[in-house]
């Protein structure tokens, strides 16, 4: 039953993502579609902002989360805001696709940042990752990444793969990917040591959460699946689809904030630095190299922790 629900949820998310991307691309040359985007994000964004403000005034912490999400949805609708962002992001201020991406991205970032502020502790893990979870994550990440860059809408699969930075794993790409594993290991080891020294309680919570997440994938095959599931899906979405459009810093920040099991800690800072390193790897050597680094590191981490 859980598998059926997961597949159904995946299908709904993919359908919604495809519809939104199709709509945004149509809005590039259809005024009514562009107006529709303003309504799609503007109305709920305004209501959520007002609701969040009312909650915050009444001293309810979750009000700040609602407020941040609402503002994240509506601020990119303002042309002057987009022009300002274009100074630090490789976006086109007048493009409906870029506006849509900013609304979604800022809404998510607003939720994540305020959630960390309200509760800086590592997120509690209720269930261990299963093989089916990894399969859903793998498929979802890849499909959503291709949809995000317009596969089947304005690009064919080959063109979408090029836009995502996917290349054939040549000896050079493989060598760079494996070499960067050492860099990632050094960064996260240092972050872990600092967390152990200055945040010992947080360090224990992180260790417990990590153990709980990987309980079902501690075999060699499970570790490989875990590495590929997270490596391919996260790199294609964050580094492949998001980074070229919204920049290295924003993609690294999103990457770090998605790892809520680390809470506000030196490890989280380490993950952000890893995001920057993987972003540079994607920029100069392609997303395939970043996928190799991420997948191999995750695999090794699971095997060493088992």
């Amino acid at each position: 039953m859980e598998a059926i629900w997961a597949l159904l949820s995946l299908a709904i998310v993919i359908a919604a993502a495809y519809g939104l991307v199709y709509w945004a691309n149509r809005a590039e040359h259809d005024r009514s579609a562009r107006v529709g985007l303003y309504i799609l994000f503007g109305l709920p964004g305004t209501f959520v902002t007002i609701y969040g403000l009312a909650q915050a005034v009444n001293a309810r912490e979750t009000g700040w989360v609602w407020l941040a999400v609402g503002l994240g949805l509506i601020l990119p609708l303002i042309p002057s805001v987009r022009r300002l962002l274009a100074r630090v992001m490789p976006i086109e201020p007048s493009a409906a696709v870029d506006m849509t991406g900013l609304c979604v991205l800022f809404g998510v970032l607003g939720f994540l940042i305020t959630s960390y502020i309200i509760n800086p502790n590592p997120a509690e893990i209720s269930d261990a990752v299963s093989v089916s979870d990894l399969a859903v994550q793998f498929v979802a990440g890849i499909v959503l990444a291709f949809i995000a860059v317009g596969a089947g809408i304005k690009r064919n699969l080959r063109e979408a793969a090029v836009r995502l930075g996917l290349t054939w794993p040549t000896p050079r790409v493989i060598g760079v990917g494996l070499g960067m594993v050492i860099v990632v290991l050094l960064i996260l080891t240092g972050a872990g040591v600092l967390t152990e020294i200055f945040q010992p309680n947080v360090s224990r919570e992180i260790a417990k959460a990590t153990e709980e997440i990987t309980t079902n994938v501690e075999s060699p095959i499970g570790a490989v699946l875990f590495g590929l599931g997270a490596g391919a899906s996260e790199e294609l979405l964050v580094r492949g689809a998001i980074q070229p459009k919204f920049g290295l810093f924003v993609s690294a920040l999103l990457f770090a904030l998605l790892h809520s099991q680390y809470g506000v800690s030196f490890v989280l800072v380490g993950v952000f630095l890893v995001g920057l390193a993987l972003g540079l790897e994607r920029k100069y050597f392609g997303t395939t190299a970043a996928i190799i680094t991420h997948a191999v590191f995750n695999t090794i981490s699971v095997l060493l922790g088992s």
Side-chain angles (χ1 to χ4, degrees), residues 246-266:
F246 301 111
L248 176 62
F249 178 85
V250 171
S251 61
L253 177 63
L254 176 63
F255 176 68
L257 294 177
L258 288 173
H259 292 77
S260 59
Q261 69 269 29
Y262 300 131
V264 177
S265 65
F266 286 102

Side-chain angles (χ1 to χ4, degrees), residues 58-241:
N58 286 291
R60 296 184 180 178
E61 290 184 332
T62 54
W64 296 106
V65 177
W66 289 106
L67 181 60
V69 171
L71 291 175
L73 291 175
I74 61 178
L75 285 178
L77 300 177
I78 304 172
S80 58
V81 172
R82 298 200 299 275
R83 288 194 292 269
L84 182 63
L85 291 172
R87 297 180 181 180
V88 294
M89 291 181 178
I91 63 170
E92 171 53 53
S94 62
V97 170
D98 290 0
M99 181 183 75
T100 301
L102 284 171
C103 288
V104 175
L105 180 62
F106 278 27
V108 171
L109 285 176
F111 171 80
L112 292 174
I113 292 172
T114 49
S115 295
Y116 274 88
I117 293 173
I118 291 174
N119 183 16
N121 297 315
E124 294 184 3
I125 305 301
S126 57
D127 296 305
V129 174
S130 65
V131 174
S132 61
D133 293 331
L134 294 173
V136 170
Q137 179 184 7
F138 182 78
V139 173
I142 292 176
V143 174
L144 289 176
F146 272 86
I147 289 175
V149 299
I153 299 173
K154 66 176 182 179
R155 292 185 173 99
N156 58 36
L157 287 178
R158 182 180 180 84
E159 292 169 339
V162 171
R163 163 62 178 79
L164 288 171
L166 286 174
T167 58
W168 187 255
T170 62
R172 179 171 180 262
V173 169
I174 295 174
V176 170
L178 294 177
M180 282 294 292
V181 173
I182 299 175
V183 175
V184 173
L185 179 63
L186 290 174
I187 292 173
L188 292 182
T189 298
V193 170
L194 289 174
T195 304
E196 178 65 32
I197 294 173
F198 296 104
Q199 300 174 290
N201 292 334
V202 174
S203 181
R204 285 190 289 272
E205 290 185 47
I206 292 174
K208 180 181 177 182
T210 302
E211 183 180 354
E212 291 176 349
I213 290 174
T214 59
T215 296
N216 295 332
V217 292
E218 292 179 342
S219 67
I221 295 177
V224 171
L225 291 175
F226 182 83
L228 286 175
S233 60
E234 292 180 13
E235 293 308 312
L236 278 174
L237 266 176
V238 179
R239 245 68 63 179

